[in-house]
Each structure stands twice: as C-alpha cells, then as structure tokens.
Amino acid sequence: MNPTKSESNNWSRRDFLGNTGALVVSFALPIPGNAQPGATAWPTTVPPEMLDSWVAVRSDGSVMASIGKVEVGMGISTSFAQIIAEELDVPLQRVAIRMGDTATTVDQRGTGSSNGIITGGPVMKKAGAQARQALVAMAAQRLNVPPEQLTVIDGVVSVVGDPSRAVAYGELIGGKRFDLPVSDKVKVKPASQYKIVGQPVARMDIPAKMVGAYSFMVDHKLPGMLHGRVIRPPEAGARLLGVTADQSFPGLVKVVTRGDFVAVVCQREEQAIRAAHDLKLNWSKPAPMFAGSYDELYQSLRSATPKISSVVMNIGDTQTALSAAAKLVDVQYEYPFQSHSSMGPGCSVADVHPDGATVWMGGQKPYGLRKAVAELLNLKNEQVRITWLPGPGSYGMNDSDDVAIDATILSQAVGKPVRVQYSRADGTEWDPKGPPITMHMRGGLDATGKMVAYDLEARGYSGRVRPSGTDTPGDSLSCQLIGGMPVGGTDLFQHSEENYQFPNKRKVSHILPWKKSLITGLRTAHLRDPDGPAMCFASESFIDEMAVAAGQDAVEFRLAHLSETRDREVIKAAAQRAGWDTRPSPKPAQKGPVVTGRGIAYSPRAGTMVAIVAEVEVNLDTGRFRVTRFVVAHDCGFVINPKSLTGTIEANLIHAMSRSMHEEVRFTPSRVTSVDWVTYPIVDMTEVPDVVDIVIVNNRPQAKSLGAGEPTTRPVPAVIANALFDATGVRIRRVPFTATSLLAAFRARV
Amino acid sequence: MATQLEILVNGKLHRVEATPDTPLLYVLRNELNLLGPHFGCGLAQCGACTVHLDGAAVRSCVVPVSAVVGKRVTTLEGLADTYPASIAKTDEPHLHPVQKAFVQEQAAQCGYCTNGWIMTSAAFLKENPKASEAEIREGLSGLKCRCGSHMSILRAVKRAAHDMAQE
C-alpha cells in the first residue's frame, strides 16, 4: 500500500505532533483516503472478507486500520485505535485509522444510530487478533520455534525466555499483504488481559485541533479548483422563472441553472459569495406551504388525517382502565422543528471528469452517496470515489450530503474541480430538520396511587421524509429543485423506549403526510437521537405528572414501576450521587422571585441506559432559568475509553440543553425564517451548569459495549421540565423553554 | 478591482492580491493557506474565524483585508509565538498556555469552533489575567459551540488562567 499524497501530509503532521512529548498521545489521527490522480476504477466494494481490507502493517512496524465509519468528534477513532493496538500488542502511538473512503475502506454504511462501537468494535477486534495470529505464525517460521513459545511485546515477536531471538512485525510483513480471508474463529484477547482498551486514553485528534493542524473537509484544496455557491428559492415552492440577462460579476465562470436549482461558479471564494448575493433572478410567487405559527402547526398535527398509523404497543385494555381509574391525567406535549445547524455550513469538493468522479464530503454516510453520485452522473459505481474528510459535528443528516451533490452538479457543469461551502443561511434555513411531534398522554392511578394505565398517542411527520443517507440523487435538496428524479424517504413511526410495568399500556404512532416539504427548508430528517428527545420529553414528563398526581416522590414512583435491574440501577445511581431529597414535587414553601428545584428522567436507548438529575434555578419575574447541575448515570456496558465517554456525555447534555431551552425553527407560511445564530439561538457559555457529575454504571469487561454517541441526549428535555416543575409548580409541556414562554406560563397560573 | 496589499501575518510580511473589501478570512485561508480560522457564519455571530489584530480578538469574516494593512495579524498557527517561551520545556512543543490547557482538558468534540475559543480566550486572559469564572463566562459568551463542549472549554480556560498566573 503506497501512502497517498494526503497520507504523506498526515505523516508529516504526525511527525510534528510526534515530537510533542507529554502532550502527544499518538499519531492515530483519522487519515482520509485520497484520490490517486488518473485512477478511474475503484473497487465496487472493498472486500470485507479479506483481512487486508481492515489492517495493514508497514515496514516501520506502524499499523493502519481501515474502517467504514467516520469520526464525528466524539473520539471514536481513538477507541478503534485502542482496540487494534490491544489485539495486535503494539503501542497505541503506532496505530493510524483510515475512515470513510469508498475506495479503501469497507462499506459499513458509515456512521449513525450511535452504533460505531457496537458494529465497528467487534470487527476491529477480530481483525487485530487475526493479524497478530498471522504475524506470530510468520515469526514461528522465521525463528523456527512453535508459535506457542512466542510472545509479542510492542510489535516485536520474541521467544519466551530468550528475548534475544526476536523479530519485529515490520520485518515480518512490512508493506506486504496478508492475503488471508477473515476468519470468524480467531481467538480474541480475553478482556482480563486488556492493557489499552478500557483505559482513559487522551483523544488522538485533540492536539492537532488545538494548533490548526487537523485537516477538515473545508481545508481540502485541488489545483485549479473553482468556488461555487447555491441560491435557494426566496419562498418555499417558488419556481425559477428566469435569470435576468446581461449580468456580469468579477471572476464569474458560470451561472448554473437546472429546473429551480441555481448556483454560481467563480474563480475565488469571495467572488462566488458576492455573485450569489447579487445575482438577479425571477421567481414565481407560490401559495403559502407552512402553518402560520406553532399553535397552528400543532393543531394541524392533532387534527389532520394521518397517512399511516400503528399501534406500536398494546398491553391489557388501556381504554377501560383509564375509564375506571381513580385519578385520570390527560395532557398534550409538543416538540418543534429543530435544525442541525452544524458549526460550519456544509462543504464539499467534487472533481467530475468524463470517465469518473471523486467527491470529498464531510457527512456520515459516504457509501450511499457514492451510488447517488454515480446515478446522477450516469457513471458506474466503480468510476466514483467518495472520500470522507472530517466535517463539523453533524448530529445526523445535516447539510453535508446536500452540499456534496451541489459540488458534483457544479463540477460537472464547468468540467473542473469545484468547492462549495454553504452560507450560514444555507446551513440553518435549508438543512433537513428534526420533525415536530405532538404527544397526547393519558394515564390513570388506582386508589392506592399505583399507575394502572399509560397511553401515548404521537402525531407528527416522519423523520425520514428526507432519508438518513443519500442512496439516490433524488434524496438531495438540489435534485429535488431540479425535479424529475425519484425520491426515497420512508414513513418511520415515532419510537419511544422505557420499561415501565403497567398492567395497561398502549402506544400509538400516527405519521402525517409531509412529502410536499421536500423542496423546502422544513423537510424532515434524522436529528440526533431521532424522535428520542421529543418522545422521552412527553413520556418522562408525564411519569412525573403521574407521581405528582399520586403525591409520591419522582424517584420512588419510577422505581415502583420498574423491574429491570439496569433501569433501576441508573436511576438509583443518579439519585444517590445527586443527594436526592425524597419528597413529592413541587418543592414546598419557596419565596420568589428566585426559586430552585430538581428533577429526574431516565431512558433506555438501544440497550444503553441513562438517568439524569437536573438542578435548576428559576427567576419567576423574568422567566429565565439556569441548570446549575446535571448528574448523569450512564450504563453502556464495558467502556472502551472512559475519557472520550465523559466528553461525549457532557457535550450531549449541553447540546440537548440548548435544544430544550432555545431551539425551534422559526417560519412564516411561506418560508423558514431561522437563518443564522440570531434567529436560531443556541446555548452560550453563561448558561451552562456549574457542575456536571457523571457516574459510569456497569462498566465491566464482561458487559457488552453499547452505543454512547447520543443516548444522553434523550432524557434532557424531560429532566429540565421536571426540575422546572419542582421549582415553580408549573408544568411546561412545549419545547423550547424560553424566558418568554416560561414567563407566560408563570403568569397564567392563578 | 484586485489590488496588491502587504499584510503582516504571524510575524511575516505577505504580498496578497485581493479586492480591498475581501474579508480577511478568505485571504488567510485561500491565499496564505492558514487554515486555523474557520468559516462559521460570515456574520460575526459565532467566532470560529477569530484572529488577533494587534493582539485583540477580531472576527476575520467581517474585517476587510485592507483594514489590516500596517497591523499585526495573528492566527491560531502563530499564537504560541506570541507567548514567551520560557515555560516551554525542551521536550514539549511550544504551545500557548491556552492551547496547552485545551489539550489537557480535551476541550473539543468536532473541533470546528476550537479556533474561536482559543483565540478569544488568549486575548481575554491577557487583558483580564485575574478574571473570575463569571467574568470568563461573560467574556466568552459571544462564541458558539454546536457540539456542546462548553464544560471542558470552561475548565480549560480556568486552567490556563491559573497556569498563566503561576508564571
């Protein structure tokens, strides 16, 4: 394997970092693959059944592991390096990870659903173990001793008891292929012998990020590269009637129009920005497509005829139990459109030529995109290479795939490499949005305060109107504006997870039609923990309401209805660390205007368990509040890297707190009006808690490693709402909890 | 019209060709290949593009390149050189104490906004070496981080303030 140019850059960057003494942990930055100039045939798929597809050992003994996942900023590249280093018995510093390149890494569907470790971990473990086994076999032959008499220390195989008889990995294989099929039977290292996996290793990508040496998608440049910008319709559904004639702009190479898609390509980036801003276009005046307000939107979600419905769970006879209940609670919860609004708006570079195309993208799913690009350009899959480069945090289906298609369209139009970076508005107004949901909750208590019925009826748009990958070009915004291409998209029922034991329990999901939104900034897609924060907001707030109705403590009420050990353990761990004061809510006898309170919420997510306690301080006169402390109990089984996990949990908390406090996409009947950080406000440094306490539960080598990328997000809106109720006695049933909405709620209380 | 301008960046004089109103950010990234500052909004709302102009933190996405002629521009790549090297041990790279603290506190998720936090914190702590936590929070309130790395960033800036006070 010859290092490509881009790798060489990375190696030299590694050399710089490699001399950084105590601060440097490793050179295992995720190494993006790179197109080799002139190459026009790439493998249809990198064969998953061959060991060489996963791991390579260079002559200097350094190891390159390849994986079809990407690093979205939570440190998973370091975790993969730990796993490989552990199984191969090489120092962590000698491992590099290559990720998300369709030409050199196996198609593992990219990253998503917090499944990086679940689906990527075991395969890395086996590849490392098998490579070690093969290398030891080679050493046995070289040293003429049976493999059982050999040991491996830091990538050097030696004879047990005679360390002078030794050979290094690099000498054994350096640069050559293993040429072995992947074996399922290979024995991996017993967890009891782990020295690297499970350790709080510093993330390898961090040092480069602090000195400006980490290569992001936005940094990628090609010789002769031009700069493109798109111009989106001024109103949802507006049709392009024409481009005003005789316009000229400095550096303009081409105005590209296809259907309602419009873009400019210029020599320089600032020229493209100026031309996109100044270009005069004629658009039609469409009929309004959106509701006039969130009140109107939620009303329509509750009243419109669903496209499809599903009874997701039905235990006992909920309707009868509700009718017979001693106490009935019947309430509505509401969760808005939210935006990914990645820190950097989408960016991509595409190089389309007659016999092939290479596209560099910063999103989570390069493999699906390859098919879409091939289809768009009428090329074969093997003529297209998609190479992931680190983007800003993406949190699901942000704008990265859309911009990659834009760069492709523009490079094809001008026959040169084109870089597109979106404007802030392109990223905030036009990114795919998390869908709004209304949740009708009903519950009944018996005379003893035991919960006997739970009924959840969710109504909203599918989170996959815009699919979670781009397998066909019609899934992208620009191709929808071009028109005439088939679109994917599926109806995904809202999903809620909890393990409460109620004798009567029903969950119903209604999906309302929303496909008309595909050409707008309100098309719905996966946003971090799709539907999870909304559904948990309703369910876990509602359990709190039932505890209040029963006059019981929120922790005790939950434990009384949960029997699964792991659910109970996280709740107990969070309450214990928080110093939970057992009593019913709200907190009694507080004098305003500043009051305090605490709440709890919990949720499973695909096997991972999270419970959170929040403490809040609320000003009843202003409606402003602050979470002063979060306590998180987190059980994702055996933790590969506790240090990365802590950072990921903290960041999930703050991101989800931002969504709970501030975030709703604004719109008028004719367009999205959230276009920047003023019109789509997020959390700032003055608002974050004083303290975050994290308790890791069930972190044992025997416990299966589960996902941690987003489970902490899920209970956050609910736990804040529960703490707000405890402090104020006012139940907030709509996200976000802005000062204006809280103040209105406080004043409405009689 | 594009004109030739001489600008002083990270201690070196560079001749660049750009229209005078071109935002400094694009000149740094595209002409000088200084990739530390990032485009985040182009509206001075997020801080990802922050550089120092004569030592003060400014948002290079809204500063015309012509406005920096005759001034000192420092980017993330040149930040360490603005800080005395006395504390750097020979076996460590020379980092600004803020950068060092950010490494020690692992103060990033994706790292796209990191430039803004480091550059703003370095300028802020220089002006406010004895800042309280509340003042640090206030001083950094104009920056965005979408991943929610605020807790680790706050720890890092407090650590840097402490380390710088020890010197």
Side-chain angles (χ1 to χ4, degrees), chain A residues 203 219 221 269 663 688, chain B residues 29 33 106 109 137 146:
Chain A
R203 269 171 51 190
D219 302 334
K221 293 175 183 177
E269 187 173 11
E663 298 184 29
V688 301
Chain B
R29 290 185 54 84
N33 210 33
Q106 303 273 291
Q109 287 275 291
R137 283 171 177 259
R146 187 61 175 139

Side-chain angles (χ1 to χ4, degrees), chain B residues 61-74:
Chain B
C61 70
V62 293
V63 175
V65 63
S66 55
V68 309
V69 172
K71 298 187 171 166
R72 284 178 297 118
V73 177
T74 306

